[in-house]
Amino acid sequence: MGLNLASLKLLANIMIYICAILVGVTSYYMADRKHRKAFLEARQSLEVKLNLEEQSQQQERLLLSILPKHIADEMLKDMKKEPSQKEMQQFNTMYMYRHENVSILFADIVGFTQLSSSCSAQELVKLLNELFARFDKLAAKYHQLRIKILGDCYYCICGLPEYREDHAACSIRMGLAMVDAISYVREKTQTNVDMRVGVHSGTVLGGVLGQKRWQYDVWSTDVTVANKMEAGGIPGRVHISQSTMECLHGEFDVEPGNGGDRCDYLRERGIETYLVAVPKVHLGKSGISPVKLSVTSSNGNSPLLINTTDCNGSVEETCNKAPEEAEELDTRVVNPSFPNPRRRLRLRDLAERVIDAQENEQELNKLLNEALLERETVQALKGKHTNRLSLRFVDPDLEVRFSVEKEKQSGAAFCCSCVVLLFTTVMEALIDPRLIINYITFAVGETLLLILTICSLAAIFPGVFPKKLVSFSTWIDHTRWARNTWAMAAIFILTMADLLDMLSCAARVPDSGSTTVAPFLSTSSQSSLGGCLNNPKYYSFIAVLALIATTMLVQVSHMVKLTLMLLITATTGIVNIYSWKDIFDHYDTVRFQEYSSGMVPSKFTMTVMIFMMMVSFYYFSRHVEKLARTLFLWKIEVHEQKEKVYEMRRWNEALVTNMLPEHVARHFLGSKKRDEELYSQSYDEIGVMFASIPNFSDFYTEESINNGGIECLRFLNEIISDFDSLLDEPKFRYITKIKTIGSTYMAASGVTSDVNDGYICMKKEEQSDRERWQHLADLADFALAMKVTLMNINYQSFNNFMLRIGLNKGGVLAGVIGARKPHYDIWGNTVNVASRMESTGVMGNIQVVEDCYNILKEYGFRFVRRGPIFVKGKGELLTYFLKGKDKQGSFINGSSVTLPHQVVDS
């Protein structure tokens, strides 16, 4: 019998240990999961931070490649203003500043027409891209700010936005370097191309006009002079004005330029000009490395294209390789095993991306280690975030967000309560198998705990449980008082089960006034009460397991857990000291007869043990909640950083799409582009429009009453902004603004993305001629609307500005030159003829060639025959003036809105 009791006692011990181990493993798993989650969130936080920094740098690079920093900062600040603040402004925002003592350089490629005729369109854009990318590198070297690229014309300024005393010398060095670069192209392409460079020093007004396609530009009389210096220059030479020569202080040798003989503008204004003498050792002194050839043309008759990179990839250092060595290098590069240059480019990109990814991974791991060490040392919850005693967040909104935070481990906590009740029941059954109340409390308690557990799990596994139960479970998770009530109910069930078992056992012990219970009990009675009399400590161990189950609760405040622990400790202590007084006295008498005089009674030691365990578990619960709140703060930080990334991306996208057409902007957003990665697209049927205000030059003055010309440009900004606002109308959705050149507005139709809805999506074979050229009719409508807009501005401002517009249709090549300094433009004979239609036109009229006339007359436009006129480079062309529109029908679906200039048939 003794062996049997010992075996049962051993099994009871095993039950306690297994229960403690299971709950401990669950606790470890939950804590480990939280730490791993914290690690992943720390890593994610760092990745987001790096992404944010990259987005910021991308935005800044893009902005500063097109706009100077002082303009970009003000523009970004205005973009973030509230709409109500913008509505209060009387005029459209204009970003314009005056800069004195600067040098303006204009450079034009002479013989570009011959070069373009010997290249395919794509090769021409590649050549321009590589050449202008080279010029951009030279501009950075010689402190130039590139203003614009106009076809084959490149112009830049030195001394802006920061003043430089050597602005004139830097501009001349830049011009000489450009002449050297083009001479190398001329030699290698076997075409008669050259650079004509003009430099003038003076004052400019620099800024941005309009609301769309922002491009930094400069205006002033001195800019016009610099342009004429280039036009009146000599190919291969740098042509400078008297004011520029005076700024050189004899640094360069010059000779008479006689610019007035070649340019009426210079002669009429009596501007003295000079030609810079090219130094014999200019190439060596200036450290300009020659460009080298890279990719062969796909067309055998076309010239080779240039590569703009130095031999060592550096802009600042001189390339020490001789031209012969450079050519040998190219021979090795053009490997027969890689005949396709695009494939070589992709392989090189892939290798670079692999290296970048490895470097980024190493950098991320290093920063992650530093961040984790910092998080270990810095107490995130100290001070401003939480109350020291309750650990509640000081910010009420933050506390509410934390209270409704979903915790997926809540179901595991209730499962632990079920496990604890199961093992305590088994343990009691082993100690006292005849205690009937034990089985009753187990059946009732386990049923109730399972109900609580299922209600908690329903929100975690919504597909398994009914919708109403899932909704109820979700409500409990997001309601603090309901969640606390649910947790208190679970612990109350555990505590009551233990308490009822103890009280039931105590009720079976006869009351006696003697010092010991033993003499009053028979042997059989002692056997039946063996669980209570011989093993009262096991019921205190059950209370400890209940304390452990309390610590497992999640999303429950440590103050609530403390309340539950005090309940368990108090009830168990009261039962030990009062209800079980005789049982513990009997236990001490039987077990410790020899030490009875100096021994502390077991009823006190077990109660103190439970209290000490309660203090330890409370400290652990407080630590767990502190960790949970810290993780929550880190999660909030990650979320905020994500929001910053998304916000930065939105601003980035808004800026890009305001500088490039939307379908082109999509090509550049979200990826790193190199100079070799071009965007180009050929179009066969495009409309091109140039609209200038010739008499604006008469209006423009730089007198003090006009604030040095700024007020005149403010008026031009209003005009261009009103033209831009027309493009927001649905009927002009297929028209794209290309750029403004001074007071000239350039737009094109039919270059929008093919993914747009409407007639452009249809295949050409499926379209009639009327559908194919609908966009050209829209462009003609836009030109007439511009005239009406300007007429309204004249009426309100008592001015007499007039538009001179040229229209043409045909094939063009659209593309972006320079991925690092993106400049969207269109090229081709169609563009040249449209420009000539404007320059040879008459103010107040829209001039078109015969091909346009034949198409547009079918849309109800009225024309007047002008007759043949001489167009430079084209000879005699028959032209017409577009006067208006007789009837509706500018849209296929017939739902167009009548414009103010349209005459509707009665």
Side-chain angles (χ1 to χ4, degrees):
M1 185 69 180
L3 181 63
N4 187 32
L5 289 175
S7 301
L8 292 175
K9 190 174 180 180
L10 177 62
L11 287 174
N13 290 338
I14 291 174
M15 290 298 105
I16 292 177
Y17 294 146
I18 291 176
C19 181
I21 289 171
L22 285 176
V23 176
V25 168
T26 306
S27 175
Y28 172 80
Y29 167 76
M30 292 168 66
D32 184 64
R33 191 171 181 272
K34 280 192 174 183
H35 281 93
R36 289 177 181 274
K37 188 177 179 182
F39 173 81
L40 291 175
E41 286 179 349
R43 181 183 178 91
Q44 184 186 22
S45 175
L46 274 175
E47 287 176 335
V48 168
K49 185 178 179 181
L50 293 176
N51 191 12
L52 175 64
E53 291 173 353
E54 185 178 349
Q55 289 280 337
S56 300
Q57 291 171 2
Q58 181 185 6
Q59 180 195 39
E60 188 173 358
R61 281 195 304 269
L62 178 68
L63 264 177
L64 299 184
S65 69
I66 301 177
L67 306 172
K69 190 175 188 307
H70 65 287
I71 296 281
D73 290 343
E74 187 177 350
M75 192 173 287
L76 199 58
K77 182 180 177 182
D78 284 345
M79 284 182 68
K80 296 180 180 179
K81 281 184 179 178
E82 294 294 330
S84 57
Q85 292 178 288
K86 296 180 181 179
E87 289 175 1
M88 295 173 63
Q89 296 178 181
Q90 185 177 2
F91 298 102
N92 289 299
T93 305
M94 184 180 74
Y95 310 94
M96 192 68 60
Y97 297 91
R98 183 180 179 87
H99 303 276
E100 299 179 350
N101 297 319
V102 298
S103 288
I104 310 113
L105 179 147
F106 274 80
D108 190 55
I109 302 176
V110 181
F112 181 75
T113 304
Q114 177 193 353
L115 180 62
S116 60
S117 62
S118 59
C119 294
S120 67
Q122 285 77 7
E123 289 171 342
L124 179 62
V125 171
K126 182 171 178 62
L127 188 146
L128 282 175
N129 177 70
E130 293 180 340
L131 184 61
F132 287 148
R134 173 64 181 177
F135 290 166
D136 285 342
K137 291 178 181 179
L138 292 173
K141 181 175 182 178
Y142 295 114
H143 315 289
Q144 306 285 322
L145 176 66
R146 186 245 270 175
I147 303 300
K148 235 177 215 182
I149 297 171
L150 303 175
D152 59 339
C153 178
Y154 185 100
Y155 72 101
C156 53
I157 289 184
C158 185
L160 188 159
E162 296 179 0
Y163 172 72
R164 289 184 63 92
E165 290 186 359
D166 60 344
H167 58 86
C170 287
S171 293
I172 289 177
R173 292 192 187 96
M174 173 73 180
L176 293 173
M178 295 174 83
V179 171
D180 282 338
I182 203 71
S183 67
Y184 197 76
V185 175
R186 179 174 62 250
E187 177 186 343
K188 292 299 180 182
T189 58
Q190 300 299 313
T191 53
N192 189 25
V193 293
D194 213 329
M195 292 299 292
R196 194 168 56 216
V197 181
V199 181
H200 175 65
S201 301
T203 301
V204 300
L205 299 174
V208 175
L209 293 184
Q211 305 302 313
K212 294 181 182 293
R213 301 292 173 268
W214 284 328
Q215 289 182 339
Y216 188 75
D217 208 346
V218 289
W219 294 263
S220 72
T221 305
D222 290 323
V223 174
T224 305
V225 172
N227 189 13
K228 300 303 181 181
M229 291 297 300
E230 176 272 313
I234 297 175
R237 303 296 297 274
V238 178
H239 192 209
I240 66 173
S241 64
Q242 176 72 31
S243 61
T244 302
M245 194 195 72
E246 292 172 355
C247 297
L248 292 175
H249 308 297
E251 188 172 345
F252 288 86
D253 295 332
V254 296
E255 57 191 54
N258 301 319
D261 298 342
R262 297 178 297 275
C263 178
D264 295 338
Y265 183 92
L266 298 176
R267 184 179 68 254
E268 291 169 1
R269 283 158 181 75
I271 298 174
E272 290 291 327
T273 68
Y274 302 89
L275 295 171
V276 176
V278 181
K280 293 181 181 178
V281 288
H282 170 65
L283 184 65
K285 284 184 179 178
S286 64
I288 302 167
S289 56
V291 289
K292 61 189 181 69
L293 303 184
S294 61
V295 183
T296 57
S297 168
S298 58
N299 182 356
N301 300 324
S302 302
L304 297 172
L305 300 177
I306 61 171
N307 184 2
T308 62
T309 55
D310 298 339
C311 295
N312 58 2
S314 171
V315 180
E316 299 296 333
E317 299 178 5
T318 306
C319 179
N320 297 320
K321 291 188 178 183
E324 292 78 6
E325 294 177 1
E327 289 177 17
E328 290 177 6
L329 180 64
D330 285 336
T331 306
R332 292 196 301 272
V333 169
V334 184
N335 191 315
S337 62
F338 298 107
N340 185 354
R342 289 180 180 273
R343 185 181 174 191
R344 291 206 311 277
L345 182 61
R346 285 199 299 269
L347 289 172
R348 181 172 60 182
D349 287 346
L350 183 61
E352 289 181 359
R353 286 169 186 164
V354 170
I355 294 172
D356 289 343
Q358 292 174 347
E359 292 176 352
N360 291 340
E361 188 72 18
Q362 293 174 357
E363 180 186 5
L364 184 61
N365 289 335
K366 181 181 176 182
L367 292 173
L368 181 62
N369 188 38
E370 294 174 358
L372 292 176
L373 289 174
E374 182 182 357
R375 286 185 172 183
E376 288 292 329
T377 55
V378 176
Q379 295 295 326
L381 294 180
K382 273 190 177 179
K384 61 180 181 179
H385 288 300
T386 58
N387 182 285
R388 288 179 177 272
L389 179 62
S390 66
L391 292 182
R392 289 171 68 91
F393 290 114
V394 177
D395 183 1
D397 294 335
L398 203 60
E399 181 65 26
V400 170
R401 290 177 65 183
F402 176 73
S403 67
V404 299
E405 184 81 4
K406 174 63 184 169
E407 177 59 69
K408 291 186 177 180
Q409 297 175 348
S410 58
F414 286 103
C415 288
C416 286
S417 299
C418 295
V419 170
V420 169
L421 182 59
L422 172 65
F423 277 90
T424 55
T425 301
V426 173
M427 184 194 71
E428 289 183 32
L430 291 170
I431 294 174
D432 193 356
R434 298 182 182 181
L435 190 63
I436 304 301
I437 192 68
N438 176 35
Y439 306 108
I440 297 173
T441 55
F442 169 73
V444 175
E446 198 72 17
T447 302
L448 294 175
L449 287 175
L450 283 173
I451 292 173
L452 296 177
T453 304
I454 289 171
C455 288
S456 178
L457 290 173
I460 303 174
F461 304 104
V464 180
F465 298 96
K467 290 184 178 180
K468 289 185 178 180
L469 183 60
V470 172
S471 300
F472 179 67
S473 177
T474 306
W475 174 77
I476 292 175
D477 280 340
H478 289 85
T479 309
R480 173 172 282 183
W481 69 265
R483 194 168 58 238
N484 289 341
T485 303
W486 222 246
M488 293 173 75
I491 301 304
F492 182 76
I493 291 169
L494 270 181
T495 308
M496 288 305 297
D498 185 25
L499 186 63
L500 289 173
D501 291 345
M502 293 179 73
L503 293 176
S504 175
C505 188
R508 295 162 57 199
V509 179
D511 188 15
S512 174
S514 62
T515 56
T516 179
V517 181
F520 296 92
L521 299 174
S522 64
T523 306
S524 61
S525 298
Q526 289 189 35
S527 174
S528 64
L529 297 175
C532 297
L533 291 173
N534 299 328
N535 304 293
K537 290 185 177 181
Y538 279 92
Y539 290 86
S540 296
F541 297 151
I542 292 173
V544 173
L545 291 176
L547 291 175
I548 295 176
T550 305
T551 63
M552 296 295 293
L553 296 173
V554 295
Q555 282 187 300
V556 177
S557 168
H558 69 99
M559 302 297 288
V560 175
K561 290 182 181 179
L562 177 61
T563 303
L564 294 172
M565 289 180 184
L566 286 172
L567 172 67
I568 296 170
T569 305
T571 53
T572 309
I574 290 171
V575 170
N576 284 347
I577 296 173
Y578 295 103
S579 299
W580 276 32
K581 175 179 178 297
D582 295 336
I583 295 176
F584 271 107
D585 289 344
H586 169 73
Y587 178 78
D588 290 341
T589 303
V590 174
R591 296 283 178 177
F592 310 109
Q593 289 180 355
E594 299 177 4
Y595 312 102
S596 59
S597 59
M599 187 190 72
V600 178
S602 294
K603 57 187 175 184
F604 297 118
T605 58
M606 295 311 295
T607 303
V608 170
M609 182 271 296
I610 295 172
F611 179 78
M612 295 298 293
M613 295 299 291
M614 183 206 75
V615 172
S616 301
F617 288 141
Y618 168 69
Y619 178 79
F620 176 73
S621 298
R622 184 180 173 89
H623 170 74
V624 168
E625 182 173 349
K626 194 174 182 180
L627 176 63
R629 289 179 179 271
T630 305
L631 295 181
F632 174 74
L633 287 179
W634 291 347
K635 187 185 294 184
I636 292 294
E637 179 186 352
V638 171
H639 179 73
E640 289 175 351
Q641 288 185 342
K642 279 183 178 178
E643 286 298 317
K644 288 181 180 179
V645 171
Y646 297 144
E647 184 182 5
M648 188 67 69
R649 190 169 294 161
R650 285 194 295 269
W651 288 122
N652 191 17
E653 187 171 353
L655 287 166
V656 175
T657 52
N658 216 0
M659 296 175 189
L660 301 170
E662 188 175 353
H663 63 288
V664 180
R666 282 196 295 267
H667 177 76
F668 282 88
L669 280 176
S671 60
K672 298 178 181 177
K673 299 296 176 187
R674 303 148 41 126
D675 289 340
E676 294 88 348
E677 296 182 49
L678 304 180
Y679 171 85
S680 62
Q681 178 71 48
S682 294
Y683 296 93
D684 296 329
E685 298 174 349
I686 291 301
V688 182
M689 181 201 75
F690 284 85
S692 69
I693 309 175
N695 54 344
F696 181 79
S697 58
D698 301 330
F699 173 77
Y700 178 82
T701 60
E702 296 181 358
E703 298 174 358
S704 57
I705 192 173
N706 288 322
N707 196 13
I710 287 183
E711 296 307 318
C712 298
L713 291 179
R714 190 182 305 279
F715 196 84
L716 180 61
N717 182 59
E718 292 297 313
I719 295 174
I720 293 175
S721 297
D722 284 355
F723 290 164
D724 288 343
S725 64
L726 289 174
L727 294 174
D728 293 330
E729 298 180 20
K731 55 181 168 287
F732 298 136
R733 64 189 181 277
Y734 296 120
I735 297 173
T736 301
K737 177 184 177 181
I738 304 299
K739 59 188 172 186
T740 55
I741 311 156
S743 61
T744 301
Y745 195 98
M746 180 182 177
S749 63
V751 294
T752 48
S753 174
D754 290 341
V755 299
N756 288 334
D757 55 5
Y759 53 82
I760 292 186
C761 289
M762 295 159 45
K763 294 181 180 179
K764 289 182 181 179
E765 296 79 8
E766 302 173 358
Q767 295 176 344
S768 64
D769 289 342
R770 187 177 181 82
E771 292 169 335
R772 281 169 49 204
W773 290 108
Q774 180 63 47
H775 64 83
L776 184 63
D778 293 342
L779 187 61
D781 275 333
F782 180 69
L784 291 170
M786 288 175 71
K787 291 181 66 177
V788 173
T789 300
L790 186 60
M791 182 180 68
N792 292 333
I793 292 174
N794 286 335
Y795 177 77
Q796 295 170 5
S797 61
F798 306 102
N799 280 300
N800 190 32
F801 293 119
M802 300 184 73
L803 280 171
R804 187 175 67 199
I805 302 176
L807 276 177
N808 191 27
K809 63 90 181 175
V812 302
L813 178 74
V816 174
I817 293 179
R820 292 174 185 166
K821 281 180 170 282
H823 173 84
Y824 180 77
D825 211 342
I826 55 177
W827 300 270
N829 182 60
T830 303
V831 180
N832 297 336
V833 173
S835 177
R836 299 298 182 192
M837 287 296 98
E838 180 274 318
S839 61
T840 61
V842 177
M843 281 202 302
N845 287 280
I846 304 171
Q847 184 172 231
V848 302
V849 294
E850 188 174 12
D851 289 344
C852 281
Y853 161 76
N854 291 331
I855 292 173
L856 291 176
K857 69 179 181 180
E858 300 299 325
Y859 292 86
F861 290 98
R862 291 184 286 106
F863 290 90
V864 172
R865 186 178 187 273
R866 183 186 186 186
I869 60 166
F870 176 77
V871 176
K872 182 181 176 183
K874 302 298 175 184
E876 295 282 339
L877 290 178
L878 180 61
T879 64
Y880 294 81
F881 287 140
L882 192 158
K883 288 297 185 180
K885 196 171 187 181
D886 290 331
K887 60 183 179 180
Q888 297 185 20
S890 180
F891 292 91
I892 298 168
N893 57 14
S895 61
S896 63
V897 179
T898 305
L899 295 173
H901 62 272
Q902 292 179 336
V903 179
V904 183
D905 292 339
S906 57

